[in-house]
């Protein structure tokens, strides 16, 4: 309602002011479908306007032109619709003299992707239907508008793509219940609403020409009967995982217990159902650049600080404030300007402190001089050289160690295990990059240092001339598994189990990033250390996710 109200705070049919009291008393204004929903089936924002209750009841289930086209009020509507704040698609709907040619099915064909249309045709051509029902439409292809509207009418809850991936399953449940009868029932109810049955008794004509009175009580009862069956919304929320924490795997017994409240679930059926499990397609491509394009000097400062160029833009400003107190990551404090050009260093620092993240929105000129003494234009400062922490493991040496380049794409992660001095297996990982595909041995990263004095001595002996420990049988490493992005990994610890789809690996921290199966955002993952793991498994997940063992 607020989105519609903020257009111009007026009724778009009469121009009367709609103030903020509508957020307290909903009877003061109503949301109207410009083209009645019972006609077009469009519940989108461009088919909605906020109007006073009186105008909405006058309009009934007509388009604005049919309701007021031959009255002085139509001139007022034209003036209000031409307001610059009204989007053009909405304006066209307000001023149209005939309803747009959009029906439940035509609207679907326009919105549906090729695969949906293909499947509809395939089902029609290949499934055998009951010949006694020749006039029945065999396959319905509802639009996103309809699915969204039914989600609201069934009170299932808003679609939150950021919460989990199960909103697709909710849409599937809604679509599975759509029939011509269900469409007609909802269309009729919208017609009663548009004719004012919410506030008074109305009289309508049936398809047979008879008259029928719809009271306010009938209107409320029809509204309650819109869902396909009783408790439909609650059942869908449970079955789809909307009511469960996305960070945890739902226990099978707890999941089934939630359905004991419904009379339609007998014990035999309960033992057959299980929670949804979201599958992902593993990415097994080995293509990509062997290393980053920028070639650097192999020389380092303080052991692992390498010279690189920092572009002065909004990202640089954000990074400055994020790591301002971290000496190893503060790019300005690690720039060559600290020693070679203190004037420019001071200028950049003052600019950052004064303007924050907007410091580099405009071109930067040293000493704010845009021309030289002869009036010729000077080039702005676009990049500066900074030292960045990049150990040997972050890249590869090229051309007989005369150049250094950052690692390219990580293809996969190799998991190894090795017995410690007590005879217990410990797990290690070695990322496999494009440039290392043809190599017989790859290094364990981060480089093992040992947990005690005996292990430290042992690992020091295993280091090669580059200071790396290779994942070889000679060094005691046994290959366990190869993990590609979107492979499902299960890590067992002494007191718990962590599992999820593999996202990435930290070569400095030695932690694997796993994404819970129903987590929508890849920015929200679980960091898992291999150091204390007892067991590491790769669990094959079927396309439908129906082979996961919830026990």
């Amino acid at each position: 309602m607020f989105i519609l109200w903020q257009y111009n705070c007026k009724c778009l049919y009469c121009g009367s002011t709609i103030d903020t009291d509508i957020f307290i008393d909903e009877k003061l204004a109503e949301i109207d479908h410009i083209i009645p929903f019972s006609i077009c089936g469009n519940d989108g924002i461009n088919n909605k306007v906020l109007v006073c209750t009186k105008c909405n009841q006058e309009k009934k289930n007509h388009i604005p032109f049919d309701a007021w086209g031959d009255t002085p009020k139509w001139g007022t509507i034209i003036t209000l619709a031409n307001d610059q704040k009204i989007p053009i698609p909405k304006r066209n709907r307000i001023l149209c003299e005939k309803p747009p040619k959009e029906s439940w099915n035509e609207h679907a064909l326009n919105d549906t992707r090729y695969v949906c249309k293909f499947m509809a045709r395939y089902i029609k051509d290949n499934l055998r239907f009951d010949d006694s029902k020749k006039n029945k439409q065999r396959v319905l292809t509802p639009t996103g508008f309809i699915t969204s509207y039914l989600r609201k009418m069934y009170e299932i809850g808003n679609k939150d793509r950021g919460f989990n991936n199960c909103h697709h399953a909710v849409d599937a449940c809604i679509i599975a219940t759509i029939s011509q009868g269900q469409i007609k029932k909802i269309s009729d109810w919208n017609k009663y609403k548009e004719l004012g049955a919410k506030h008074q008794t109305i009289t309508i004509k049936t398809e047979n020409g008879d008259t029928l009175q719809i009271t306010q009580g009938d209107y409320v009862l029809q509204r309650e009967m819109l869902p396909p069956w009783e408790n439909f919304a609650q059942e869908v929320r449970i079955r789809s995982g909307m009511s469960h924490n996305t960070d945890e795997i739902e226990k099978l017994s707890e999941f089934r217990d939630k359905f004991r409240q419904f009379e339609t679930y007998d014990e035999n059926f309960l033992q057959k159902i299980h929670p949804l499990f979201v599958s992902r397609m593993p990415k097994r491509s080995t293509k990509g650049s062997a290393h980053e394009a920028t070639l650097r000097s192999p020389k380092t400062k303080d052991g692992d600080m390498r010279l690189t160029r920092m572009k002065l833009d909004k990202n640089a400003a954000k990074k400055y404030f994020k790591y301002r107190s971290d000496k190893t990551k503060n790019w300005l404090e690690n720039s060559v300007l600290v020693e070679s050009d203190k004037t420019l260093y001071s200028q950049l620092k003052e600019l950052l402190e004064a303007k924050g993240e907007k410091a580099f929105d405009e071109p930067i000129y040293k000493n704010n001089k845009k021309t030289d003494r002869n009036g010729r234009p000077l080039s702005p400062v676009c990049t500066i050289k900074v030292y960045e922490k990049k150990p040997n493991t972050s890249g590869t040496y090229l051309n007989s160690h005369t150049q250094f380049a950052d690692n390219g794409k990580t293809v996969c992660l190799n998991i190894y295990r090795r017995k410690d001095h007590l005879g217990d297996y410990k797990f290690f990982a070695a990322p496999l990059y494009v440039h290392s595909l043809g190599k017989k041995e790859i290094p364990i990263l981060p480089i093992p240092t040992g947990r005690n004095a005996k292990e430290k001595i042992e690992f020091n002996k295993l280091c090669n001339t580059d200071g790396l420990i290779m994942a070889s049988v000679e060094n005691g490493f046994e290959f366990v598994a190869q993990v590609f992005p979107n492979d499902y990994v299960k890590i067992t610890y002494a007191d718990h189990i962590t599992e999820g789809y593999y996202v990435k690996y930290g070569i400095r921290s030695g932690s694997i990033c796993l994404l819970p199966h129903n987590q929508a955002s890849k920015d929200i993952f679980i960091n898992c250390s291999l150091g204390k793991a007892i067991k590491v498994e790769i669990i094959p997940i079927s396309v439908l996710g129906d082979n996961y063992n919830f026990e």
Side-chain angles (χ1 to χ4, degrees), residues 95-115:
L95 300 179
C96 72
E97 297 184 5
K98 290 183 179 180
K101 291 183 179 180
E102 52 183 356
S103 66
W104 294 90
N105 297 325
E106 290 170 350
H107 211 56
L109 293 174
N110 289 332
D111 279 359
T112 310
R113 293 183 178 181
Y114 170 78
V115 65

Side-chain angles (χ1 to χ4, degrees), residues 118-129 138-139:
F118 169 81
M119 285 305 299
R121 290 194 299 269
Y122 185 84
I123 292 171
K124 290 175 186 176
D125 295 340
N126 293 279
L127 281 187
R128 182 177 296 174
F129 295 97
R138 305 304 191 184
V139 182

Side-chain angles (χ1 to χ4, degrees), residues 117-334:
K117 290 186 281 188
F118 169 81
M119 285 305 299
R121 290 194 299 269
Y122 185 84
I123 292 171
K124 290 175 186 176
D125 295 340
N126 293 279
L127 281 187
R128 182 177 296 174
F129 295 97
D130 185 356
D131 293 334
S132 64
K133 300 178 180 179
K134 293 182 179 179
N135 295 327
K136 294 289 184 179
Q137 186 174 351
R138 305 304 191 184
V139 182
L140 295 175
T141 52
T143 71
F145 275 132
I146 294 173
T147 308
S148 176
Y149 184 73
L150 293 182
R151 175 191 279 264
K152 181 173 66 178
M153 296 305 296
Y154 296 161
E155 298 180 349
I156 293 174
N158 294 328
K159 180 182 288 190
D160 185 355
R161 291 180 173 85
F163 177 65
N164 62 29
N165 286 312
C166 294
H167 60 85
H168 297 297
V170 174
D171 289 344
C173 291
I174 294 171
I175 292 170
T177 63
I178 294 176
S179 65
Q180 288 178 317
Q182 188 72 1
I183 289 174
K184 186 178 186 307
K185 185 166 65 171
I186 293 168
S187 181
D188 287 346
W189 181 83
N190 272 279
K191 183 178 180 180
Y192 304 154
K193 179 182 177 182
E194 290 155 3
L195 291 171
K198 183 179 180 180
H199 306 286
Q200 60 189 356
T201 299
I202 63 170
T203 302
I204 63 170
K205 283 189 177 182
T206 65
E207 295 177 355
N208 299 327
D210 301 328
T211 57
L212 177 67
Q213 283 194 330
I214 304 295
T215 66
Q216 289 174 277
D218 294 331
Y219 172 82
V220 174
L221 182 61
Q222 290 276 5
R223 174 66 182 85
E224 294 173 353
M225 294 175 62
L226 288 182
W229 58 78
E230 189 179 2
N231 297 318
F232 176 76
Q234 187 179 2
E235 186 180 342
V236 168
R237 283 195 292 270
I238 298 173
R239 290 293 294 268
S240 65
M242 287 178 66
S243 60
H244 185 70
N245 188 341
T246 59
D247 293 335
E248 302 172 359
I249 298 291
E250 192 164 11
K251 293 182 179 179
L252 193 57
S253 57
E254 293 177 358
F255 173 76
R256 289 172 176 170
D257 285 343
K258 294 177 182 179
F259 293 92
R260 299 188 188 281
Q261 60 184 300
F262 305 126
E263 296 179 358
T264 51
Y265 286 78
D266 58 32
E267 192 62 33
N268 183 46
F269 186 73
L270 279 175
Q271 298 307 314
K272 297 178 181 178
I273 63 175
H274 56 76
L276 284 177
F277 194 89
V278 179
S279 66
R280 293 179 182 273
M281 185 176 72
K283 300 177 181 178
R284 305 191 186 280
S285 172
T286 58
K287 297 179 180 179
S289 57
H291 52 75
E292 296 297 332
T294 303
L295 301 178
R296 313 180 191 281
S297 168
K299 297 179 181 179
T300 60
K301 176 185 176 182
D302 299 333
D304 57 3
M305 301 291 283
R306 298 180 187 275
L307 203 59
T308 183
R309 281 194 172 274
M310 171 67 69
K311 185 178 180 181
L312 299 180
D313 56 12
K314 190 175 287 290
N315 289 330
K318 288 181 179 180
K319 192 174 181 180
Y320 171 80
F321 288 103
K322 184 177 181 179
Y323 300 113
R324 181 163 45 178
S325 58
D326 189 334
K327 291 183 179 180
T328 61
K329 294 183 179 180
N330 186 323
W331 57 264
L332 185 59
E333 298 302 327
N334 286 302

Side-chain angles (χ1 to χ4, degrees), residues 499-510:
E499 55 189 281
Y501 289 104
Y502 171 63
V503 179
K504 59 182 179 179
Y505 178 71
I507 61 172
R508 295 181 186 177
S509 63

